[in-house]
Amino acid sequence: MARAAKALLDMYQWTTLTFLVDSGSQYPGLNTFFSLSYSNIKAHLQLHLGRYTIYTLRFDSGSEDKDIDELLRKTKRQSRVVFVFTHPRILRDIMVRSFHQRMTDGSYVFLASMLPIVPTRGPITWKYLDADDTAAFEAFRNLIVFQTAEPAWAQINDWLADIAATTFDHYNVSLTADRSVNEFAISSYEVFYALTEVLNRSGLLIHSDKLLNGRTLMERLWNSSLTLPSRDFTISGNGMRITNISFMQLDVNTEQMKIAWKYISANASLVSVSFLTDQWKAGPPPQDRPLCGFTGDLCPLTGTGAANSTATAAVTMIVFLICSACAVVSWEKSRSRKLRENERWWAVDLRSFRTVVRCPPAVPVFVKSLRNLD
C-alpha cells in the first residue's frame, strides 16, 4: 500500500503532505489497520530524504473536545494534499467539515486508506440520508480512497466454509455471517495457500533428497507471483507480501465510488482504468503548492484581493489630489492678496490720512537789557 501511495503522489508531483491521524480512544478503539497504514506509508516516504515534506496532525475521534475545524484550518496553512487515517464514519465527518471550511473547490485532494470491501459491510459512501448529504457529496468529489484489491468473494465460498468449520471444531466458536467474511482470516488463508503452491512448484514436498530448511524455503518464496482463487498474490525480494491496490473516486453519475487507478504490484506500475482519472472537480489536478503560497503571501494580490487593493489605492489618490488642490488654491489666494496690496499704493485716498503738526518746544532766549549795556 505504501508503494502504491508513493506512485500516485509521484504521478501528480505531490510532495507537501499533511497526515491527519486518529488515535481512536473510544471503545472498541480504532482498527489497527489505520495506525499500521499510517506508519508504513510515512516510513516508506521518509526513505526518500528531502523529497517529501510531511506534517502530522493527531486527533482523537473519541474525545468530546476534538475540534475538526481547527484541524482543517491548520492543514490549509501548510498543504493541499491531505491523508486521513480513520474509519469511514469519522472520515465522512471530516469531509463534511472540509466543505464548510471551503476546501472542496478542487484545489485540495484528500486520500484515505481503507480496508477492502466485504459483502456484509458494503462500499464506503457519502450518503447517510441526513442533513449533511449535500455537503458530503460535494466533499467526496475531492476524495481518493485506496485499498488492497478485494477478494473475489463469490469464488471462495468453500474457503469461508472451511474457516467457519475449523473455528467451531477447534475453538467451539460459531462465526456469524459478518464475522466469517473477514479480510484478515482470508489473508491468513492466502498465505498458507501460497506457501503450499510454492512448495509444490519447487518439488520440495515430493523429492525428499532436497534439503528443506529456512533458507531454501525463503529462496523459493522471494520474488514469486501467484494467481489464487481469491486474487493475485506477490511476495517481494525481501519476503514482504505486496498486493494490487485500487484507487477509487466518486462517479457523479452513479453517485458511487468507482475504481479509477490500479497499482500492479508485480511490475510496480500505476495504470488508469477509468475516465474518472481525468474528472477533477476544478479541471486540472490540485497543485502541490499554490503559486502564491498556502497563505497567499508569496506574490502580488490577485483576484478579489487585487480589486479591493486597487479600489483602496484609487480612493487614497483621489483624497490626496483633493487635499493638494485645496492647498494650492489657498496658497494662490494668499499670494494674490499680498500682490494686490503691494501694487495699489497709488490708489490710496489721501483724505484717509490726518496731518499732525507738532511744534518744537520753546527755546528760552536770554536778551540782555539795554540798560545793562550802558
Side-chain angles (χ1 to χ4, degrees):
M1 184 170 283
R3 290 181 175 85
K6 180 182 181 300
L8 185 69
L9 294 176
D10 291 347
M11 174 180 287
Y12 292 103
Q13 299 181 353
W14 294 331
T15 59
T16 307
L17 320 171
T18 293
F19 286 7
L20 302 183
V21 185
D22 186 0
S23 59
S25 66
Q26 187 176 7
Y27 181 82
L30 198 66
N31 193 307
T32 54
F33 164 81
F34 297 103
S35 59
L36 290 175
S37 176
Y38 155 70
S39 300
N40 290 338
I41 293 175
K42 185 174 182 179
H44 184 66
L45 295 179
Q46 288 179 331
L47 292 175
H48 305 270
L49 298 178
R51 177 169 177 77
Y52 301 96
T53 301
I54 302 175
Y55 303 96
T56 299
L57 299 177
R58 297 181 180 275
F59 67 100
D60 185 354
S61 60
S63 172
E64 295 181 357
D65 298 329
K66 66 179 180 295
D67 190 344
I68 299 300
D69 288 327
E70 178 59 24
L71 201 69
L72 293 173
R73 282 191 289 268
K74 290 180 180 179
T75 299
K76 291 171 67 174
R77 295 192 292 266
Q78 60 194 25
S79 72
R80 292 287 180 89
V81 183
V82 187
F83 281 81
V84 185
F85 299 94
T86 187
H87 53 75
R89 179 177 59 82
I90 301 300
L91 172 64
R92 181 180 183 268
D93 291 343
I94 292 175
M95 296 307 299
V96 169
R97 297 315 309 165
S98 72
F99 172 82
H100 294 294
Q101 287 293 327
R102 300 181 180 180
M103 298 174 68
T104 57
D105 60 353
S107 57
Y108 293 83
V109 60
F110 292 80
L111 300 101
S113 60
M114 288 290 160
L115 287 164
I117 299 171
V118 297
T120 56
R121 189 173 63 237
I124 184 172
T125 180
W126 55 270
K127 184 180 292 187
Y128 278 41
L129 300 178
D130 59 16
D132 290 327
D133 271 358
T134 299
F137 177 79
E138 291 299 322
F140 266 57
R141 294 180 64 186
N142 303 268
L143 174 66
I144 298 175
V145 173
F146 58 105
Q147 59 191 27
T148 57
E150 61 181 289
W153 296 105
Q155 306 299 321
I156 56 173
N157 286 326
D158 55 335
W159 288 14
L160 300 178
D162 288 343
I163 293 172
T166 301
T167 303
F168 181 78
D169 293 341
H170 291 271
Y171 304 103
N172 196 28
V173 174
S174 298
L175 295 179
T176 62
D178 181 61
R179 295 179 64 188
S180 63
V181 184
N182 187 302
E183 165 67 16
F184 293 109
I186 295 301
S187 295
S188 299
Y189 197 103
E190 288 172 332
V191 169
F192 286 99
Y193 191 104
L195 174 61
T196 303
E197 285 291 312
V198 170
L199 292 175
N200 285 332
R201 286 184 181 181
S202 61
L204 292 176
L205 293 181
I206 300 174
H207 304 286
S208 58
D209 56 327
K210 292 186 177 181
L211 182 62
L212 179 60
N213 54 39
R215 178 175 296 277
T216 304
L217 182 59
M218 286 190 297
E219 289 175 353
R220 297 297 189 276
L221 287 173
W222 287 347
N223 295 312
S224 61
S225 295
L226 304 170
T227 300
L228 307 185
S230 54
R231 53 191 164 186
D232 292 340
F233 186 98
T234 301
I235 300 177
S236 67
N238 58 7
M240 297 296 293
R241 177 183 178 180
I242 53 177
T243 61
N244 295 339
I245 304 295
S246 299
F247 292 87
M248 298 188 295
Q249 285 184 303
L250 181 65
D251 184 344
V252 296
N253 297 316
T254 63
E255 299 184 347
Q256 295 179 353
M257 301 297 289
K258 296 293 184 66
I259 297 176
W261 302 269
K262 279 188 176 182
Y263 177 78
I264 310 301
S265 60
N267 55 15
S269 62
L270 183 66
V271 296
S272 171
V273 296
S274 168
F275 69 93
L276 293 174
T277 56
D278 297 322
Q279 299 297 307
W280 299 97
K281 187 173 183 181
Q287 294 180 328
D288 180 58
R289 287 176 173 267
L291 294 177
C292 295
F294 298 112
T295 58
D297 57 346
L298 298 183
C299 62
L301 292 176
T302 57
T304 303
N308 293 338
S309 178
T310 302
T312 302
V315 171
T316 303
M317 181 60 70
I318 292 172
V319 171
F320 173 77
L321 292 176
I322 292 175
C323 293
S324 299
C326 291
V328 170
V329 170
S330 177
W331 176 79
E332 180 63 25
K333 285 184 177 181
S334 176
R335 189 178 70 87
S336 299
R337 184 172 60 252
K338 290 180 180 180
L339 287 174
R340 286 195 300 269
E341 291 176 354
N342 293 334
E343 293 174 357
R344 294 185 61 187
W345 59 268
W346 49 268
V348 175
D349 186 356
L350 294 177
R351 290 175 297 179
S352 64
F353 294 91
R354 290 184 300 173
T355 303
V356 179
V357 179
R358 293 182 182 273
C359 296
V363 178
V365 178
F366 302 94
V367 181
K368 291 185 177 183
S369 174
L370 294 175
R371 294 179 180 177
N372 295 333
L373 295 175
D374 293 339

